[in-house]
Amino acid sequence: MKSVMWAQLMKDKRNPLFILLFIAASIVATILFAGGIQTPTMVAVFSEEENAPEIEEKWHELLNVDSSFQFEIVTPEKAREDVMNGVIDVAVNVTETDYQIVIASELPTVSFVQQHVEKVFQREAQFRALEEAKGDKNVRSKMNSYLKNAPIQIEAKGLDGEGLPNFNLGTQLLFAFVFLVAMFMLGLKVNNVTNDKVSGVWNRMILSPIRKTGMYSGYILYTFLITMFQVIVVLILFKYVMNYEVGDNLGLILLIASFFVFSMISIAMLITGFVKTPEQFYSIYPSVIPLIPLVSGAYMMPGTISNPVLMFIADLFPMSHAMDAIMSVVFYDAGLRDVMMSLLLMLLIGVIAMGLGINLIERRNQ
Amino acid sequence: MGNFIKKDLLIFWRDRKELITVLILPILLVIILNFAFAGLLGKDTESNLDLNLAVVNQDNATDSLEKLKEKLVNEGLVGEGEANVFVEQASHLDPVSMLLNYLDSDELKGLVTIHELGEEEAITKVEDGDLDGILIIPDGFTVESLYAAFVGEAPTKSLEFKMEKETNNTSILFDIVQGFTDQLNYQFALQEMDALENEVTLPTGGVEKVGAGESFTLTQYFTTAMGALFALFLASTVGTKTGLEIRQKVFNRILLTNSNPILFLIGKMVSTFCLTWLQIMFIFVFSHFILDVFPGRTVSFWFGVIGIASLLSLAIAGLAALFTSISLRVRNIDAANGIFMLVILLFGTIGGGFVPIYVLPDWLQQIGEWTPNGISLVMVTKWIQFEDLSNIFTPGLLLIGIFLLFTLLSFALYPKRGEA
């Protein structure tokens, strides 16, 4: 077992670029996508009235109150052109009291922008009516100060009455991408089995005094260790160097990650069992893997995927269980006991897939 | 020449398991993505949601108006008469019954189911996953809120929205309740200004569609993105298959036959072009039959799609040639395969293959429009919307440019005599 591990390690030591690239990839992916959520949507504002600059200026100020949208004044021609070319999704054509949304197609952002604009315009209409009726210029500030201490308040709380920790989709995405890259990395390492088979190393090992158990556990253990190395390095970098929120209980998170990695190694082993050559593995594995986080809902708010068929498929893979467990540790202070169920499920998936996978690989030999 | 193309096509044909995966998987993905995102981004999202909210009403509303009057008078803020007037006004603005009516209204009927429960029972049910959240109306809420409305200070009691974890469902529920309380507060503010009966002309709004084009739906997006993504995968598959041929000494044997070695590369390109083209058309046609992706489009529209698929296939053939040349050159074929995979993942991601491109930051979307799959996505988007050749002319040229660039690079990198 040791010698098999050692051989794998030497291969990577001679060519460390690969592992470094993967570590870099998971960090870059997280920074890009977790950061991307917060960038505001650009919306163009323009007017075709006679006193366009005034109107534009007025609404530009009133519309720019929400951090998720950024309204910018442009010329009508440019706004239409940008929308048509897909540079921006939405533009707003404003008049003194009314608005028109300019779109090219029904994109998801459109309805959010529309809601926001509608609210702003309705409030404004009411303010204006009020000002006219009262002849009072301070209506707006009076209303606003009244609403600051609004009589009816609502608070969100946890079930125990304590304040609810703020769920952060960025943190969830961080783990999703770390796991996604880990899945690719471990897949490539498990693929060494087929590589060694086609190069004849496998047969030579069979002839050597090394035992079959030793051979398999060598590959598995090495893959496990190198993938965990990547996960640990990335998480530590995020926690201590880049100060991302990855929870206080890093030990438990790494435990969950290790179960996940084992479980995914088994699934990669299963796929290896289906294929004959490393090339086949390369063509099947990368097209299956990106599906898993998607179906498991790792890129979206929890509960977004509610289709029972999809949820069933997601449950067959370890990712959904790992994400569940990690999210409850990071945000809801779950302990080992709370995540035990997820750990056991991942272990179960791992054992079954490993059994099937090794069986298939062995059967192919005969 | 013909023999080389035949050889490469045969390599694929022999491996039917892979062929089927490559053809079926993208269609499966389009269907899955459609399901997964239909609830998230689609137009009538709310209709397929079923939210369960428990309402725990601890506020005994019957005598609250009396209590309010007492409180107002006892605090010495107003006389008996003024208090009576306010209480009379307030009786039309009972927040609890308004809230309950709203939650029970037809508008929310299909969306939210209300369960009136005790707090203990509600908590157990939330923990069991039967309910999404609990709205608690605390004792004395009506009195305190109305009192706060009168004096214009923040109230001492507030509604509590309890949930186990923050999920999509709980945030929608919370937004619904909060949207209503905002509206209610606004009403109170208007009342404070004595402006409830004011005539207001509300903006009418409206939507203007530019170019009067057809709209571009998410299903169309997924179909296009998956088609382009799997075309990319095909490029790396061709690249990695070279590894097999190196191992089996196919390449060396070809050199011995005295045929021009560059034909090996050209054979790869032509076969990649054919396969990619077939694959993309397969994805488009089958998705169309299963999901009715492009309803009621003309024949000329489909010719345009064929044209775009051909251009993309050309660019992909160039990429495959580049991968092949690199494979023949490097010593460690595994590292090369890994790097191909990373390149494909990178192109796939920023070109919108793995996550909808709209999720990415703007600058990344613009870079993504320079990848072969990103360009084809832009082209299909425009073609679907406007069906106008002038719109897709430039990106089409860009795809040809990419093809030429990759081909030149691959010829330059192609091993010379004695280098393979």
Side-chain angles (χ1 to χ4, degrees):
Chain A
M1 181 177 100
K2 255 194 211 153
S3 45
V4 178
M5 271 179 65
W6 207 243
Q8 306 294 325
L9 179 65
M10 287 317 282
K11 275 190 209 166
D12 277 330
K13 213 178 133 193
R14 274 183 220 136
N15 230 329
L17 182 72
F18 207 47
I19 291 168
L20 292 179
L21 264 178
F22 270 99
I23 290 177
S26 49
I27 293 175
V28 171
T30 311
I31 292 173
L32 287 186
F33 300 120
I37 303 282
Q38 281 115 30
T39 41
T41 315
M42 295 287 263
V43 183
V45 180
F46 67 94
S47 177
E48 289 168 325
E49 302 286 289
E50 269 172 34
N51 50 343
E54 273 170 53
I55 298 176
E56 282 165 356
E57 197 50 53
K58 167 182 153 198
W59 289 114
H60 176 247
E61 199 175 305
L62 290 166
L63 285 167
N64 263 332
V65 284
D66 198 320
S67 61
S68 48
F69 308 109
Q70 194 180 336
F71 291 87
E72 270 196 7
I73 301 175
V74 295
T75 61
E77 297 79 33
K78 184 172 179 341
R80 291 219 167 79
E81 202 184 298
D82 282 357
V83 170
M84 198 157 143
N85 289 332
V87 181
I88 49 171
D89 297 340
V90 195
V92 189
N93 181 359
V94 292
T95 62
E96 192 60 51
T97 57
D98 213 339
Y99 67 95
Q100 273 214 316
I101 304 274
V102 180
I103 57 168
S105 54
E106 306 281 346
L107 291 169
T109 32
V110 173
S111 60
F112 296 125
V113 175
Q114 199 164 8
Q115 268 174 19
H116 173 72
V117 174
E118 189 179 333
K119 195 175 150 193
V120 170
F121 272 81
Q122 280 185 356
R123 290 264 152 110
E124 265 317 294
Q126 263 158 342
F127 281 145
R128 206 171 322 105
L130 217 57
E131 271 176 6
E132 272 168 29
K134 303 258 154 182
D136 186 353
K137 286 277 166 205
N138 300 325
V139 173
R140 191 189 307 268
S141 62
K142 275 189 193 160
M143 283 287 269
N144 282 338
S145 72
Y146 185 86
L147 286 175
K148 224 170 240 163
N149 290 317
I152 295 173
Q153 305 267 356
I154 180 164
E155 282 177 79
K157 284 183 173 175
L159 281 185
D160 49 4
E162 295 289 312
L164 204 64
N166 249 342
F167 181 82
N168 182 348
L169 191 60
T171 305
Q172 185 186 320
L173 284 174
L174 185 154
F175 283 103
F177 286 117
V178 171
F179 283 170
L180 178 68
V181 176
M183 285 196 283
F184 274 105
M185 175 137 159
L186 66 87
L188 292 185
K189 293 296 152 206
V190 169
N191 194 27
N192 275 343
V193 173
T194 49
N195 261 326
D196 285 351
K197 266 186 171 175
V198 293
S199 64
V201 173
W202 187 264
N203 285 337
R204 279 180 256 167
M205 278 198 287
I206 291 176
L207 289 177
S208 75
I210 199 169
R211 289 170 54 201
K212 263 287 167 67
T213 354
M215 283 162 59
Y216 279 112
S217 46
Y219 284 106
I220 293 166
L221 197 61
Y222 177 72
T223 311
F224 180 79
L225 290 178
I226 198 81
T227 314
M228 279 311 286
F229 170 74
Q230 182 246 348
V231 172
I232 291 172
V233 167
V234 172
L235 286 185
I236 285 181
L237 275 179
F238 272 123
K239 188 174 165 76
Y240 295 107
V241 181
M242 283 181 267
N243 293 322
Y244 272 60
E245 183 188 1
V246 292
D248 302 321
N249 200 344
L250 198 60
L252 189 54
I253 288 175
L254 289 178
L255 182 73
I256 299 167
S258 66
F259 274 76
F260 169 77
V261 169
F262 165 73
S263 191
M264 269 318 294
I265 290 176
S266 308
I267 287 181
M269 209 42 126
L270 182 63
I271 296 178
T272 312
F274 280 120
V275 299
K276 269 186 230 137
T277 62
E279 282 74 28
Q280 282 182 330
F281 184 86
Y282 281 127
S283 74
I284 292 181
Y285 196 72
S287 27
V288 179
I289 293 306
L291 252 178
I292 298 178
L294 205 63
V295 175
S296 311
Y299 299 142
M300 296 162 257
M301 281 293 285
T304 309
I305 294 198
S306 48
N307 185 304
V309 181
L310 281 181
M311 279 163 80
F312 174 74
I313 298 174
D315 279 344
L316 296 180
F317 292 99
M319 186 126 192
S320 59
H321 306 295
M323 290 308 286
D324 266 0
I326 285 197
M327 288 305 107
S328 51
V329 172
V330 174
F331 294 118
Y332 308 104
D333 291 326
L336 180 61
R337 197 189 294 262
D338 304 300
V339 297
M340 198 48 111
M341 192 61 198
S342 309
L343 292 183
L344 288 178
L345 279 171
M346 284 192 276
L347 198 63
L348 182 73
I349 296 169
V351 169
I352 293 175
M354 185 70 80
L356 286 174
I358 292 184
N359 230 309
L360 280 171
I361 297 176
E362 286 300 306
R363 195 164 294 178
R364 182 119 309 146
N365 279 345
Q366 288 159 11
Chain B
M1 182 70 210
N3 285 335
F4 283 98
I5 299 171
K6 191 177 163 195
K7 174 209 74 176
D8 280 310
L9 289 176
L10 267 180
I11 291 179
F12 275 93
W13 182 244
R14 293 259 169 78
D15 200 349
R16 244 128 327 159
K17 201 189 286 171
E18 189 190 311
L19 205 62
I20 290 172
T21 322
V22 166
L23 288 179
I24 302 292
L25 207 64
I27 293 175
L28 212 65
L29 265 172
V30 172
I31 296 173
I32 289 181
L33 286 169
N34 236 335
F35 271 121
F37 283 90
L40 181 68
L41 306 169
K43 267 251 113 180
D44 4 72
T45 51
E46 270 118 331
S47 56
N48 23 7
L49 276 174
D50 181 25
L51 306 170
N52 286 291
L53 177 71
V55 175
V56 180
N57 192 352
Q58 296 166 339
D59 192 19
N60 191 0
T62 45
D63 58 345
S64 54
L65 287 177
E66 283 303 307
K67 279 190 186 159
L68 176 64
K69 198 163 111 186
E70 252 169 59
K71 186 164 178 166
L72 286 173
V73 175
N74 287 350
E75 301 259 322
L77 288 171
V78 288
E80 184 100 9
E82 207 179 326
N84 272 332
V85 174
F86 179 72
V87 167
E88 164 60 26
Q89 273 181 356
S91 64
H92 302 295
L93 279 171
D94 176 14
V96 173
S97 60
M98 280 170 83
L99 180 62
L100 293 179
N101 281 340
Y102 172 69
L103 290 173
D104 209 29
S105 64
D106 289 336
E107 200 183 328
L108 292 179
K109 266 277 158 56
L111 180 61
V112 187
T113 318
I114 301 294
H115 307 260
E116 292 200 20
L117 297 169
E119 187 170 3
E120 301 287 315
E121 196 187 347
I123 287 180
T124 338
K125 284 205 165 176
V126 172
E127 276 168 354
D128 292 347
D130 294 335
L131 297 173
D132 292 304
I134 311 172
L135 181 68
I136 296 181
I137 303 168
D139 188 23
F141 171 74
T142 314
V143 177
E144 290 299 329
S145 302
L146 290 176
Y147 178 74
F150 183 75
V151 293
E153 285 168 6
T156 50
K157 293 256 162 94
S158 56
L159 292 170
E160 283 173 28
F161 185 83
K162 288 193 173 183
M163 54 190 147
E164 192 177 20
K165 286 180 179 176
E166 198 177 325
T167 66
N168 204 36
N169 287 357
T170 56
S171 32
I172 293 175
L173 270 178
F174 187 75
D175 283 348
I176 289 174
V177 178
Q178 201 183 24
F180 182 73
T181 56
D182 276 353
Q183 201 53 41
L184 215 54
N185 283 330
Y186 199 70
Q187 292 296 320
F188 275 117
L190 287 179
Q191 193 195 32
E192 178 76 11
M193 307 270 158
D194 291 320
L196 270 183
E197 279 88 34
N198 232 338
E199 279 285 316
V200 179
T201 33
L202 289 175
T204 45
V207 173
E208 175 193 338
K209 281 212 166 179
V210 278
E214 301 258 341
S215 62
F216 183 62
T217 62
L218 268 183
T219 316
Q220 288 166 342
Y221 175 85
F222 290 136
T223 311
T224 318
M226 284 305 122
L229 180 68
F230 277 77
L232 276 179
F233 280 147
L234 204 63
S236 85
T237 307
V238 171
T240 49
K241 284 239 189 265
T242 313
L244 187 81
E245 291 182 279
I246 296 171
R247 204 163 53 235
Q248 294 172 342
K249 307 283 181 216
V250 173
F251 186 67
N252 290 341
R253 277 181 265 164
I254 287 172
L255 290 182
L256 286 178
T257 59
N258 201 23
S259 49
N260 191 345
I262 211 82
L263 287 180
F264 177 77
L265 190 64
I266 297 176
K268 289 262 176 215
M269 285 171 72
V270 177
S271 62
T272 312
F273 177 82
C274 300
L275 282 167
T276 316
W277 192 86
L278 285 175
Q279 188 195 29
I280 297 173
M281 288 321 293
F282 187 82
I283 294 169
F284 271 81
V285 170
F286 268 75
S287 309
H288 177 66
F289 280 127
I290 297 172
L291 295 166
D292 197 19
V293 185
F294 309 104
R297 300 311 292 253
T298 55
V299 180
S300 66
F301 168 79
W302 281 98
F303 272 117
V305 171
I306 292 173
I308 295 170
S310 311
L311 287 175
L312 176 62
S313 307
L314 210 56
I316 296 294
L319 191 62
L322 184 59
F323 284 168
T324 307
S325 282
I326 294 176
S327 293
L328 286 172
R329 230 164 215 280
V330 294
R331 235 185 253 137
N332 183 349
I333 194 81
D334 278 320
N337 287 343
I339 288 168
F340 298 161
M341 203 155 98
L342 280 180
V343 170
I344 297 301
L345 285 180
L346 187 74
F347 277 14
T349 317
I350 60 178
F354 294 114
V355 281
I357 200 163
Y358 317 111
V359 176
L360 306 178
D362 280 342
W363 60 272
L364 209 58
Q365 288 189 25
Q366 312 216 324
I367 300 176
E369 282 172 15
W370 287 84
T371 61
N373 51 329
I375 299 174
S376 61
L377 191 62
V378 171
M379 286 173 80
V380 174
T381 314
K382 287 189 178 158
W383 186 248
I384 288 175
Q385 287 173 353
F386 310 116
E387 224 180 303
D388 182 2
L389 273 183
S390 63
N391 272 322
I392 59 169
F393 187 69
T394 337
L397 277 185
L398 209 57
L399 274 182
I400 296 175
I402 288 178
F403 162 72
L404 290 176
L405 177 75
F406 284 157
T407 311
L408 270 178
L409 273 176
S410 64
F411 275 72
L413 281 175
Y414 196 74
K416 309 281 166 333
R417 186 186 289 253
E419 281 180 346

